[in-house]
Amino acid sequence: MTTIPPGSTIGILGGGQLGRMIAIAAAQLGYRTHIYAPEGSGPAADVSPRWTQGAYEDADALAAFADSVDVVTYEFENIDPSAVEVLATHGLVRPGAHALRVAQDRLAEKRFVCDLGGLTAPFAPVDSLDDLEEALDQIGSRAILKTNRMGYDGKGQARLSDPGDAVGAWNAIGRQSAILEGFVTFAEEFSVILVRSAQGDIRFWDSAVNVHKDGILDSSTVPAGPLIEGQLAEARALASKVAEALDYVGVLTLEFFASADGPVFNEMAPRVHNSGHWTIEGAVTSQFENHVRAICGLPLGDTGLAAARVEMRNLIGVEANDWLQILSDPANHLHLYGKHEARPGRKMGHVTRLTL
């Protein structure tokens, strides 16, 4: 096994808030970080000493970046896997490109999970308006159309409730290759977040009950309650199979619906995840620190709860301007991401509250 000692440099693809929090955790363990991103700056620039602006298609720039660091990871999944493969020819990349390829293609992701025995919503591929109309006949008119690639926080999606919605939905997603998913009747949403070491050791954090508003995560709370806790064993078993099938190293997230039929897989993210931000104060070892430990070959930290109850709430748009009122409650832990413009739907920070 390759161990990357403190004092080494971790390369991070992407310079958003997840990269920022990975870099903070890395610094606490004595590592330096170097960001590679198409943008000239971002939230991670405040905490990472080096930043390279470069395209993910620029093989020469990627090679130079790989040669300047000791291990490479990524903070979001919308990166061309070929860029990761280029980096892998020059050094160690964790997680690997295979996880990206699966997670980026919603149809491939659903099939991958079904092959492992997971339960998903009914789905069908859609590459034309005719395909969409046939899929609606097969699945039912209450469905959601999602672009097969890209899209997050509700973007690239259109809801349908009637066959007459087909044309509008097809146009709304830009007439792109897509997947139609039937609606799932569920009571609550939750995430299974795990960390897997290079030796195959897997540890789970407590699963939070997630509440979304307008397609964006609003809050995550642990403990999640009896319904979700009763479905965790099955959900964790599937998550372990996914991690092992991908030979995954680092933090991996699977999102589920808690239904009468058991946990229904929604989607996966091969990275640290918004629904795990509560772990910074609310767990013995945060998802960010354990991600650094895993990719560097260090022993994994304890994922147990550090409080009786933990609630994380996202600060969207101008909500971040309430920082003074938030800090007036001494039980709150405020995280602002250093973004300069508060736009509607933009995650500007989060606040975590612990009940001891």
Side-chain angles (χ1 to χ4, degrees), residues 124-143:
V126 173
D127 289 306
S128 68
L129 182 58
D130 287 343
D131 285 349
L132 176 55
E133 291 171 344
E134 290 178 11
L136 288 168
D137 288 340
Q138 171 190 339
I139 290 174
S141 56
R142 291 191 71 246

Side-chain angles (χ1 to χ4, degrees), residues 217-257:
L217 182 66
D218 179 68
S219 67
S220 295
T221 305
V222 292
L227 174 62
I228 290 172
E229 289 169 2
Q231 300 191 5
L232 276 185
E234 187 177 347
R236 286 180 172 183
L238 176 62
S240 293
K241 289 181 182 178
V242 170
E244 289 163 3
L246 295 172
D247 193 20
Y248 197 90
V249 177
V251 169
L252 173 68
T253 307
L254 276 72
E255 297 182 59
F256 290 90
F257 301 118

